[in-house]
Amino acid sequence: MDQLDTLLQPLRHSPRLPEAVQRLSEQLRQESTLRQRFYREMTPDQKIEFVDGEVILHSPARNRHLDVTKYVAILLDTFTRLHALGTVKVEKCLCVFPRNDYEPDVVFFGVEKAGVLTADTLKFPVPDLIVEVISSNTEARDRGVKMEDYAANQVGEYWLLDPDKAVVEQYVLREGAYELVVKSSSGMLCSQVVAGFACDVEALFDEARNLVALREILSGDS
């Protein structure tokens, strides 16, 4: 029995099933109307998401958050371009999921998905890897609805970076759910989606180590 079957099981034999279906259908219709309004009213200067029928407007990020986002993006982007593996986008990349719309901190699209992007693409497909740099305002969603939605829609790998503790958590999709394979402030982080990518965990949080890792990528040592 998969997760969806588990969710539906209590309703399947209930005499109130028709009522439940009607209410859920109405909720989805209302969400669709709100989502179309979200698309019309969003502007390029906002970091904004549509989650569970609500518009989430993000406040400006702390300097530490911005630095960590930059460090991971530089390494992933450089490696991806050097090896022609796809494309990496940062922050205001609106990724459209069946029900929700997210703007993760860093995303990677493999060759197949990158191939459908154009200069005018505004709504991006579901990424192959997502990186979120957590904060006190976003952690509950990053570990909650986002993690569930990313797994349900086959995002193969998910990284959570804690800029205050300098810890990375690497989750890999296995049989429809995420498995934590790395949680560390040191050692090596080896992607299972970005083929061949590996870096020192500390390079995601420290500028000097980031430069060392970048040089290794450029020299072909990584």
Side-chain angles (χ1 to χ4, degrees):
M1 183 179 296
D2 63 20
Q3 292 180 334
L4 185 58
D5 283 332
T6 302
L7 183 66
L8 294 175
Q9 191 64 29
L11 284 172
R12 283 189 169 162
H13 304 290
S14 170
R16 304 193 68 179
L17 176 61
E19 180 185 351
V21 170
Q22 183 177 3
R23 287 193 183 183
L24 289 172
S25 296
E26 179 58 29
Q27 179 181 338
L28 289 175
R29 283 193 292 270
Q30 291 175 359
E31 282 188 16
S32 179
T33 299
L34 292 171
R35 197 176 192 185
Q36 294 308 311
R37 180 179 176 183
F38 165 77
Y39 290 148
R40 291 194 303 271
E41 296 182 354
M42 65 183 184
T43 61
D45 59 314
Q46 299 172 318
K47 182 171 182 180
I48 193 168
E49 299 179 317
F50 186 83
V51 183
D52 195 17
E54 296 183 9
V55 176
I56 308 295
L57 182 61
H58 292 269
S59 59
R62 294 182 302 137
N63 187 48
R64 179 63 174 156
H65 184 288
L66 295 174
D67 281 345
V68 170
T69 301
K70 176 177 65 176
Y71 296 153
V72 65
I74 285 173
L75 298 181
L76 277 173
D77 181 61
T78 302
F79 187 87
T80 296
R81 287 191 290 148
L82 280 173
H83 298 279
L85 296 175
T87 188
V88 172
K89 304 296 180 185
V90 181
E91 291 195 303
K92 294 179 183 178
C93 174
L94 188 72
C95 300
V96 177
F97 284 64
R99 186 183 176 195
N100 301 311
D101 301 279
Y102 304 107
E103 290 189 341
D105 290 307
V106 181
V107 297
F108 163 79
F109 300 100
V111 172
E112 182 178 350
K113 292 180 181 179
V116 303
L117 305 180
T118 71
D120 296 320
T121 296
L122 180 64
K123 297 176 183 177
F124 289 78
V126 172
D128 296 302
L129 177 146
I130 290 179
V131 181
E132 296 282 14
V133 181
I134 64 175
S135 69
S136 58
N137 292 329
T138 68
E139 185 171 6
R141 282 192 299 274
D142 291 338
R143 296 187 182 279
V145 62
K146 287 188 175 184
M147 179 175 279
E148 181 179 358
D149 207 357
Y150 295 168
N153 286 282
Q154 303 299 303
V155 177
E157 194 168 342
Y158 183 35
W159 300 354
L160 287 173
L161 276 63
D162 186 329
D164 296 321
K165 297 178 181 178
V167 169
V168 62
E169 297 173 31
Q170 178 192 23
Y171 295 87
V172 174
L173 190 66
R174 291 181 179 154
E175 297 182 357
Y178 282 128
E179 178 180 327
L180 178 63
V181 295
V182 169
K183 181 177 182 179
S184 182
S185 59
S186 62
M188 296 296 293
L189 176 67
C190 302
S191 175
Q192 297 191 29
V193 166
V194 185
F197 178 85
C199 75
D200 178 2
V201 169
E202 294 180 51
L204 303 176
F205 302 100
D206 179 80
E207 183 174 22
R209 299 293 285 268
N210 188 262
L211 285 170
V212 170
L214 180 59
R215 290 190 185 103
E216 290 175 349
I217 289 173
L218 290 169
S219 68
D221 295 334
S222 176

